[in-house]
Amino acid sequence: MMSNSAILPAGVSKEALLTELRRLSWGAADILRAYARGEQPPHGFQKALSVDNGGEGPVSAADLAVNQWLLEGLSGAFPDAGWTLLSEETAKEQLTEGEPLPAEWLWILDPLDGTKDFLQGTGEYAVHLALVRGNRPVLGVVLLPEADELWIGLVGDGAWCEDREGTRSPVRFSQREELSDLLLVASRSHRDDRLEKLIGELQLGGSKAVGSVGCKVATILRGETDLYISLSGRSAPKDWDMAAPEAVLLAAGGRFTHADLGDLTYNTGDVRQAGCLIASHGKAHVALGERATRAMAEIDPGFQV
């Protein structure tokens, strides 16, 4: 186990931070659920049009409201923490291509991961909060508003799920270890021929489609599935898509790496998480990486996994 001083900035206690993260997370859940239903959101945020109207209106309103809620909450609760706050919504103003932010401690936030699912009403959307030190995550929060699940992970100090009453449930990885038995959780919308070929080459036991990276990783944490693969094409996921889910998975004892087993890195000056990325419960991670690397060399020669 890491000591508290090893994973948090000086002057920030673990319990005080977790208490605030709970408050902010459930507040974000209430905001998003209200917008998703076309109801009046709490905490003084403006009501948006019903999601039935589609377009950017309700999504932008929900995104911006949760973004403001999280940024103001973290800044107000810990004014002297010395960390920097970055979110998907502020990235254009904060970031310069090729230049990492000058921050030892950096929050990377995604106020709404899974916008298509939010609009379509599947319930498979999430809120991501990750605290990164250097280039690696040390703490992650993945909130699933519609499932009333709050996944929290401190790398080196464990991971668990909480409900609104604070009742904790442990991570329950499956016992499946053979590649032919493993179940894949895949994206509904970010799929192409290369990914279909890769999945075929891995010869897994089955798959299910789920929205939002946070929701996908939660299925691994519950033991419903065993791995998730991200294969970048014309676009790639960003730091705020991956940092929080990775932190929770790592804290639980799982793995989230490139196919060549290289670490994901954050705040590098390039927010794209390109390549072939594999998240898993860890039991067959090396074998998965090796098979995926060999397969990609045939499917897309020269592709940097």
Side-chain angles (χ1 to χ4, degrees):
M1 295 288 189
M2 285 187 179
S3 67
N4 182 44
S5 61
I7 60 171
L8 295 176
V12 176
S13 77
K14 180 171 72 173
E15 286 312 313
L17 180 56
L18 290 178
T19 296
E20 184 62 18
L21 289 173
R22 292 182 183 104
R23 184 186 76 84
L24 292 173
S25 294
W26 293 119
D30 292 338
I31 294 167
L32 286 171
R33 285 167 64 96
Y35 278 115
R37 290 155 175 76
E39 299 170 355
Q40 177 62 51
H43 310 297
F45 291 104
Q46 183 177 359
K47 186 175 181 179
L49 296 174
S50 165
V51 294
D52 293 338
N53 291 300
E56 289 296 312
V59 176
S60 293
D63 248 327
L64 293 173
V66 175
N67 185 67
Q68 181 182 338
W69 171 253
L70 296 177
L71 293 180
E72 290 182 354
L74 283 170
S75 298
F78 303 97
D80 302 317
W83 49 40
T84 299
L85 305 177
L86 170 70
S87 82
E88 181 179 12
E89 300 303 317
T90 63
K92 287 183 179 179
E93 291 74 36
Q94 285 183 268
L95 298 178
T96 301
E97 181 67 27
E99 297 181 14
L101 289 172
E104 178 186 4
W105 297 93
L106 176 68
W107 280 101
I108 300 177
L109 312 177
D110 190 344
L112 177 53
D113 183 64
T115 53
K116 287 184 179 179
D117 286 271
F118 180 79
L119 271 177
Q120 293 168 0
T122 69
E124 294 168 359
Y125 62 89
V127 179
H128 296 172
L129 302 91
L131 182 60
V132 170
R133 187 180 193 186
N135 301 120
R136 298 288 295 141
V138 297
L139 181 154
V141 172
V142 174
L143 167 73
L144 309 185
E146 300 294 343
D148 271 343
E149 290 182 356
L150 181 62
W151 291 93
I152 300 174
L154 290 89
V155 177
D157 204 21
W160 64 92
C161 183
E162 295 185 6
D163 62 18
R164 283 179 178 264
E165 286 68 47
T167 303
R168 291 191 182 189
S169 302
V171 172
R172 295 185 174 90
F173 287 143
S174 86
Q175 297 305 307
R176 293 179 288 269
E177 296 188 24
E178 297 296 324
L179 265 62
S180 58
D181 294 330
L182 298 185
L183 301 180
L184 171 77
V185 58
S187 173
R188 288 194 186 93
S189 53
H190 300 289
R191 302 176 75 126
D192 61 17
D193 289 343
R194 296 174 312 135
L195 179 58
E196 298 294 348
K197 290 177 182 177
L198 174 59
I199 293 171
E201 290 295 323
L202 291 177
Q203 300 179 1
L204 303 171
S207 68
K208 66 183 295 185
V210 172
S212 169
V213 179
C215 290
K216 291 182 179 73
V217 169
T219 69
I220 300 173
L221 295 165
R222 297 189 207 103
E224 298 165 2
T225 67
D226 306 299
L227 72 146
Y228 159 59
I229 297 174
S230 169
L231 188 63
S232 58
R234 279 182 263 177
S235 63
K238 308 296 191 298
D239 282 4
W240 39 84
D241 297 310
M242 301 306 202
E246 182 191 358
V248 178
L249 191 60
L250 287 181
R255 301 283 302 275
F256 203 152
T257 69
H258 288 265
D260 64 4
L261 306 182
D263 285 337
L264 278 64
T265 53
Y266 303 93
N267 192 30
T268 62
D270 182 356
V271 298
R272 295 171 299 171
Q273 292 291 339
C276 179
L277 314 181
I278 303 175
S280 83
H281 58 24
K283 296 181 176 65
H285 198 84
V286 173
L288 281 168
E290 290 173 347
R291 187 174 290 185
T293 299
R294 289 196 301 269
M296 287 308 300
E298 297 292 328
I299 295 168
D300 190 356
F303 181 78
Q304 295 297 308
V305 298

